[in-house]
Amino acid sequence: MRILVFSQYYYPEPFKIHEICEELVKRGNEVTVITGRPNYPDGDLFEGYGNENKMNEVINGVNVIRTKIVLRGHNPLSLMRNYFSYPLLAKKEIKKLNKEFDIVFVYQLSPVFMIKPALYYKKKFKKKVYIYCLDLWPESLKVLHISEKNIIFKFIKRICNKIYQQCDFISVTSPAFIEYLNKENGVNIDKINYVPQHGENLFLQVKPYQKQDKLNITFAGNIGKAQDFDCLIKAICQIPNSYYNRFMITIIGSGSYEEILKNKVKEHKLESIFKFEGRKSVGNLIPYYNNTSLFLLSLEKNSSIGKTIPSKLQTYMSAGRGIIGSIDGTSSQIIKKAQSGVTCQAGDYRKLAQIIIDLLNDDSLLEKYAINSRKYFLNNFTLEKCTNKIIKKLNELI
């Protein structure tokens, strides 16, 4: 197959689309990706990508075409310009292509508008469009505290419904998405299925769990408001000071909420507990995960993101460690089903504090959680299993 992929984000940005594309190439397909200049999550252009030679490159067999999208920057205005620049510039790149493709595949994160150039290609060349949906729209607007009654929400919902309904098939990364797309966006239920995100096989190299000198609870990923670090701070403040020398919180990553979080750590005099490691490349995470006792997974209560299964869940499981957290929805159900950890409702900082205290008083479950996590990953979340389902659907649509 000759597959044209649209994704506003691509390697070296921290999304898994490049692994899917490279796996498709390994299986004998020709893959071309139209993406943007890498600048997620901090809003600054990645080092080396100001070079014109980087605008068109081949990465592990994948043809990558980069558009000169507006960078995310550091304010809402530049972010909005970033969102609207990609579909416009990606459409221009379509006109420069010197070959036709058999099918179009969209790795749909936020914003939903990244689907629009794919629909343009569909109309121009009469090809099918297959969406891999990781973020729901317009539901994702609620993270910005835009309610359903807001005229902006209603306007964008009409646009989203039209976009989704024009797609030929949509695979979603959480079962909760199926009902939403059907009821809220008007997508025929027969045009939707569930394909969970994969985790990185790389983290199978993480050593089996061994007890640490301190209970080391690690968070790795985007440090944003939606990850509800306020709940974590409140939880730790509920824990008696006598426990403080027995555990630590390792934060790996960066994001818009990072400085606010650091200030709150100082405000509550928790510097002895928190350790900020900054953003790390995927390949440099293994030593940190080797020294991890548990991973933390949390999301805001009533957040639209709560309907998703955050990709870090699969990553945590592939690393073979237990998971604790304050999170609702499918993620919590998976952790319970896998017997890979313990969760409480999103925002329940008192319960989260009690979870940490319980494990400090009895860490006998940590090895069981670690073993069960990796077992569940191997049975459900490998790249091979994910790609098998995507290729099957691509072939059906062609």
Side-chain angles (χ1 to χ4, degrees), residues 10-13 31-38 46-67:
Y10 198 78
Y11 180 86
E13 292 171 308
V31 180
T32 296
V33 179
I34 297 180
T35 186
R37 296 182 294 169
F46 279 42
E47 186 176 353
Y49 281 86
N51 190 327
E52 287 292 326
N53 294 333
K54 288 280 192 177
M55 297 304 289
N56 292 279
E57 56 181 337
V58 178
I59 304 175
N60 294 328
V62 180
N63 301 308
V64 181
I65 299 170
R66 298 190 186 275
T67 65

Side-chain angles (χ1 to χ4, degrees), residues 230-358:
D230 290 355
C231 177
L232 176 62
I233 294 287
K234 290 178 182 177
I236 294 173
C237 289
Q238 295 289 307
I239 298 173
N241 290 356
S242 58
Y243 286 101
Y244 279 16
N245 64 345
R246 295 175 54 191
F247 75 99
M248 61 186 291
I249 308 289
T250 301
I251 306 291
I252 304 171
S254 61
S256 60
Y257 206 71
E258 183 178 359
E259 289 306 313
I260 298 172
L261 174 59
K262 287 179 177 177
N263 288 335
K264 292 195 173 188
V265 167
K266 292 178 182 177
E267 177 187 341
H268 293 281
K269 297 179 171 59
L270 300 174
E271 295 97 325
S272 63
I273 293 175
F274 278 82
K275 186 176 183 182
F276 291 90
E277 296 289 353
R279 180 154 52 93
K280 304 294 178 185
S281 65
V282 172
N284 289 329
L285 287 171
I286 291 178
Y288 294 96
Y289 290 0
N290 284 336
N291 294 320
T292 291
S293 308
L294 286 162
F295 284 111
L296 174 71
L297 190 65
S298 63
L299 287 172
E300 280 186 323
K301 190 172 183 63
N302 299 323
S303 166
S304 63
I305 301 177
K307 295 180 184 294
T308 73
I309 302 174
S311 61
K312 62 173 62 67
L313 173 63
Q314 288 90 331
T315 296
Y316 291 171
M317 286 185 156
S318 66
R321 294 294 187 271
I323 303 166
I324 64 169
S326 54
I327 189 167
D328 298 327
T330 306
S331 296
S332 179
Q333 294 167 14
I334 289 173
I335 292 167
K336 291 174 183 175
K337 181 179 179 181
Q339 298 182 54
S340 61
V342 56
T343 65
C344 59
Q345 290 184 341
D348 190 345
Y349 62 90
R350 290 187 176 88
K351 182 63 176 176
L352 181 58
Q354 191 59 54
I355 289 171
I356 295 172
I357 291 170
D358 289 346

Side-chain angles (χ1 to χ4, degrees), residues 206-219:
V206 175
K207 296 175 182 177
Y209 167 75
Q210 290 183 331
K211 186 174 180 178
Q212 309 294 318
D213 293 334
K214 286 185 177 182
L215 184 73
N216 184 8
I217 302 169
T218 297
F219 172 90

Side-chain angles (χ1 to χ4, degrees), residues 61-220:
V62 180
N63 301 308
V64 181
I65 299 170
R66 298 190 186 275
T67 65
K68 292 187 177 181
I69 59 170
V70 176
L71 302 181
R72 295 170 66 88
H74 307 281
N75 60 71
L77 178 60
S78 62
L79 182 60
M80 291 303 297
R81 292 178 64 208
N82 168 267
Y83 281 178
F84 286 106
S85 66
Y86 173 75
L88 292 173
L89 294 171
K91 183 177 177 181
K92 289 183 178 180
E93 292 297 333
I94 290 172
K95 296 175 182 178
K96 299 177 186 176
L97 294 173
N98 57 9
K99 67 177 73 174
E100 275 195 40
F101 295 84
D102 300 314
I103 194 162
V104 179
F105 179 69
V106 183
Y107 189 79
Q108 186 247 304
L109 293 152
S110 289
V112 71
F113 311 116
M114 67 178 67
I115 297 176
K116 295 193 75 173
L119 296 176
Y120 170 79
Y121 192 93
K122 173 183 177 174
K123 183 177 181 180
K124 185 176 178 66
F125 295 103
K126 308 296 188 245
K127 303 296 181 181
K128 299 285 182 70
V129 171
Y130 175 31
I131 308 297
Y132 193 35
C133 175
L134 289 84
D135 287 343
L136 283 178
W137 275 71
E139 187 71 11
S140 293
L141 289 173
K142 293 180 181 177
V143 175
L144 304 175
H145 303 290
I146 300 176
S147 73
E148 294 182 6
K149 296 179 181 179
N150 189 299
I151 189 170
I152 295 174
F153 187 97
K154 292 178 180 179
F155 175 71
I156 293 181
K157 183 177 181 180
R158 287 198 294 270
I159 295 173
C160 294
N161 291 356
K162 184 177 180 181
I163 289 174
Y164 282 131
Q165 289 170 22
Q166 290 180 78
C167 301
D168 295 285
F169 200 87
I170 303 175
S171 288
V172 296
T173 53
S174 171
F177 284 20
I178 295 176
E179 182 180 6
Y180 186 93
L181 284 167
N182 177 240
K183 290 188 175 180
E184 299 296 330
N185 298 116
V187 180
N188 190 313
I189 200 79
D190 295 331
K191 293 170 64 176
I192 317 169
N193 72 355
Y194 167 53
V195 177
Q197 288 192 80
H198 69 278
E200 295 90 344
N201 288 348
L202 172 69
F203 294 127
L204 296 175
Q205 299 175 29
V206 175
K207 296 175 182 177
Y209 167 75
Q210 290 183 331
K211 186 174 180 178
Q212 309 294 318
D213 293 334
K214 286 185 177 182
L215 184 73
N216 184 8
I217 302 169
T218 297
F219 172 90

